[in-house]
Each structure stands twice: as C-alpha cells, then as structure tokens.
Amino acid sequence: MVGLLHDIGRREGVTGMRHVLDGYNFLADRGFEDAARICLTHSFAVKRLEAIFGAWDCTPDELRFIENTLAGIEFDDYDRLIVLCDSLAMAGASS
C-alpha cells in the first residue's frame, strides 16, 4: 500500500532524482518510516547512486546521506516490486 506514495517527493515541484530524498524526508519527518523507505528505494534496481535513470540534483552531502541510508537497507520483495512497477510505468504512455 505504501507504494502509492513512492513519488510523493514530486510535490516539491519539477526535480530530477532529488524527488527520492524529498519524499523520504517528507514522510520520515511525519513518522512514516516504511513509506519513506519506498520513496528512497523505488529508483534503485541496484544500490548504487550511478545506476539510476535520471540526473542527480542534490548536494554532495545529500548524496552521501542517500548512499549511506541505502547501504543500511536490505531490499525486500516489496522494495523490488515497487522498483519493477516504477520501471514499467512510463510518463506519457497511453493505453
């Protein structure tokens, strides 16, 4: 269910990969740790900053925070499911 919130960081406006941090901070600050985790993990098929699809628009300190936080997360099946679903969804695609 928390996968529905995976892109809530986009509420901050048009950004690149910064939305993962904005979403994480927004939900973590409100005590929603599981949903915050999905905001961070949903863009990483592998846990490497350089393996994302998009441009980083974070400060070096923010990138270190993301890298350190990801390193401490053991991806589970739900993380992998949201990564898969996000990868399959394409902006502007029509049915």
Side-chain angles (χ1 to χ4, degrees):
M1 204 62 164
V2 298
L4 294 172
L5 299 173
H6 77 278
D7 270 342
I8 198 166
R10 300 261 186 225
R11 66 187 286 283
E12 296 294 326
V14 178
T15 61
M17 291 306 296
R18 177 180 188 79
H19 79 283
V20 302
L21 180 62
D22 289 337
Y24 178 85
N25 288 333
F26 178 76
L27 292 172
D29 289 348
R30 287 157 179 78
F32 300 109
E33 291 299 323
D34 290 339
R37 169 194 170 118
I38 293 298
C39 289
L40 201 60
T41 62
H42 83 275
S43 290
F44 295 94
V46 294
K47 296 191 304 182
R48 292 192 341 258
L49 293 181
E50 65 275 4
I52 53 92
F53 182 77
W56 281 114
D57 46 356
C58 298
T59 68
D61 286 342
E62 291 169 333
L63 287 174
R64 275 189 293 283
F65 172 80
I66 292 168
E67 189 170 42
N68 291 337
T69 303
L70 279 174
I73 295 173
E74 184 69 33
F75 279 39
D76 60 21
D77 288 343
Y78 194 71
D79 292 299
R80 289 187 282 278
L81 175 64
I82 300 304
V83 168
L84 175 64
C85 292
D86 195 56
S87 297
L88 293 173
M90 296 176 63
S94 60
S95 39

